[in-house]
Amino acid sequence: MQREKILVTGANGQIGKVLVAALKKLFGNDNIIATDLRADNTYEGIFELLDATDSNTLSKLIMQYQITQIYHLAAVLSAKGETDPTGSWHINMSSTLNVLEAGRIFKLSKVFIPSSIAVFGQSAPKEGVPQSFYPEPATVYGIAKVAGENWGAYYFNKYGLDVRSLRYPGVIGYQSAPGGGTTDYAVDIFHKAIKEKHYTCFLDKGTRLPMIYMDDAIRATLKLMEAPSDQISIRTAYNLQALSFSPEELASEIQQYIGDFSVDYAPDFRQGIANGWPASIDDSIARQDWNWKPAYGLQSLVKDMLDHLIESPQLA
Ligand code: NAD
């Protein structure tokens, strides 16, 4: 069996930090090359500086480490993207095309490029958006994700490159800080609940969105990547979610543990982004194709987050 050497872009990000640790466990420390724009001095392992829009350095690293797979996590997320639409389009699209081209040229065995629920916009039904619903995103981030999904399918169909993708919902974890998405409140709220017993939420009451606990997101990613190629029927990106909740539902569950925790609501421009997104999506094809099944619901997610953040105050 081929020994895999995996390069991860955007490895210092919210998902990257946790995914890199999981990949190291699976493939061995020396087989994971973490890359990002800046070094993280606390990181233990092989790390290289890489701007993913720089195809020359990407190629150099692939040759230097004899890379066989790429997990391309580098991106500018939804809320941050709206502050510089053309700049974030450039970063998200050119990095994605660089990774796909590298996959083709160096005949990589697999490439993972995540998408997002942000591919859906106002035209989508609020609940249970079907896998094949035509995506009409309202953000530049969503537009780039739709384009990236289609480029991935193109490279699979035209060149046989094994590109796989998930439409992640909002990801919630204790291990790392979120990096500028519209669902970041669902992580921030835990830190503020513990430290200040009060949180001012940038999304309004009633804003239900699809979410997933970090452990489930990582498990889904690894399960998708481990599945035999003939079980992958979706080559754009699989709908994926674990649960849906609104800010007040999350706050109320946190109050079960921190009784004097209070929340007020001051929606900002991110409310406009969230209003365009569905409250839930239908991930039954992921469940059929590679047995996707989330382990965490709202109660278990909140308990696990608080257990970790309270036990390890350096994380909070
Ligand atoms: P993040 O913002 O926390 O991390 C992104 C990382 O990419 C950062 O460390 C940043 O330094 C790096 N980066 C940005 N531009 C770069 C460039 N030009 N070259 C190299 N590195 C660059 O994001 P995340 O939450 O870890 O998201 C990872 C992936 O998952 C992204 O593709 C994102 O769109 C997708 N996603 C995330 C969520 C979520 O809730 N976190 C939801 C849906 C999809």
Side-chain angles (χ1 to χ4, degrees):
M1 201 176 82
Q2 182 185 22
R3 198 176 52 123
E4 301 294 351
K5 279 262 185 186
I6 301 176
L7 183 144
V8 182
T9 72
N12 292 346
Q14 186 198 8
I15 297 173
K17 281 197 166 152
V18 192
L19 184 62
V20 162
L23 289 170
K24 279 160 109 179
K25 261 196 196 151
L26 265 184
F27 294 95
N29 290 356
D30 296 344
N31 295 318
I32 308 303
I33 288 70
T35 72
D36 206 299
L37 287 177
R38 276 170 286 280
D40 168 1
N41 294 332
T42 62
Y43 180 71
E44 288 171 15
I46 306 173
F47 179 88
E48 295 282 353
L49 290 177
L50 172 65
D51 179 337
T53 63
D54 170 3
S55 60
N56 289 334
T57 307
L58 177 62
S59 298
K60 256 184 15 208
L61 291 175
I62 292 173
M63 289 187 281
Q64 180 183 342
Y65 289 101
Q66 300 187 313
I67 295 299
T68 61
Q69 296 188 10
I70 297 181
Y71 285 64
H72 175 45
L73 303 181
V76 178
L77 271 65
S78 56
K80 216 169 152 191
E82 290 306 288
T83 63
D84 178 13
T86 52
S88 63
W89 167 264
H90 167 70
I91 292 170
N92 291 352
M93 277 329 297
S94 65
S95 65
T96 297
L97 281 171
N98 283 345
V99 167
L100 289 170
E101 266 299 272
R104 177 182 74 81
I105 293 164
F106 293 101
K107 300 191 175 9
L108 300 185
S109 67
K110 283 178 201 164
V111 172
F112 177 70
I113 305 180
S115 184
S116 161
I117 55 156
V119 296
F120 297 118
Q122 292 283 3
S123 59
K126 271 286 161 205
E127 300 288 345
V129 186
Q131 173 68 47
S132 58
F133 192 84
Y134 184 72
E136 291 182 303
T139 58
V140 69
Y141 172 73
I143 297 171
K145 287 296 188 195
V146 173
E149 288 185 2
N150 284 294
W151 273 113
Y154 180 88
Y155 271 72
F156 172 73
N157 290 320
K158 183 150 182 153
Y159 305 117
L161 180 64
D162 191 348
V163 187
R164 304 181 182 198
S165 181
L166 298 169
R167 289 172 178 157
Y168 286 137
V171 180
I172 301 158
Y174 58 85
Q175 301 95 328
S176 48
T182 304
T183 53
D184 288 7
Y185 90 84
V187 178
D188 300 341
I189 193 171
F190 285 94
H191 295 267
K192 288 283 177 3
I194 291 169
K195 282 194 198 145
E196 297 171 21
K197 310 251 189 274
H198 182 76
Y199 181 61
T200 299
C201 187
F202 62 75
L203 295 187
D204 210 352
K205 277 186 174 174
T207 314
R208 277 181 81 243
L209 292 172
M211 301 282 187
I212 193 167
Y213 197 40
M214 182 66 83
D215 297 40
D216 275 337
I218 301 298
R219 213 164 39 80
T221 307
L222 298 177
K223 247 178 124 46
L224 169 75
M225 292 301 277
E226 280 164 3
S229 186
D230 60 6
Q231 279 178 21
I232 309 294
S233 68
I234 303 294
R235 287 291 175 171
T236 47
Y238 280 95
N239 275 7
L240 182 87
Q241 83 158 91
L243 70 164
S244 297
F245 57 74
S246 60
E248 70 275 19
E249 285 168 332
L250 178 58
S252 148
E253 193 57 36
I254 295 173
Q255 281 157 352
Q256 303 294 315
Y257 299 87
I258 304 174
D260 52 351
F261 173 52
S262 61
V263 181
D264 62 2
Y265 297 87
D268 65 16
F269 74 101
R270 289 169 279 194
Q271 185 64 44
I273 300 177
N275 287 345
W277 288 355
S280 66
I281 62 176
D282 175 1
D283 62 4
S284 52
I285 301 186
R287 291 174 189 248
Q288 270 162 37
D289 280 4
W290 40 274
N291 295 322
W292 159 239
K293 192 165 179 266
Y296 286 84
L298 184 58
Q299 288 177 359
S300 46
L301 178 157
V302 168
K303 182 175 183 322
D304 205 62
M305 278 292 282
L306 289 174
D307 281 352
H308 279 95
L309 292 176
I310 291 167
E311 267 168 33
S312 310
Q314 78 278 8
L315 294 172

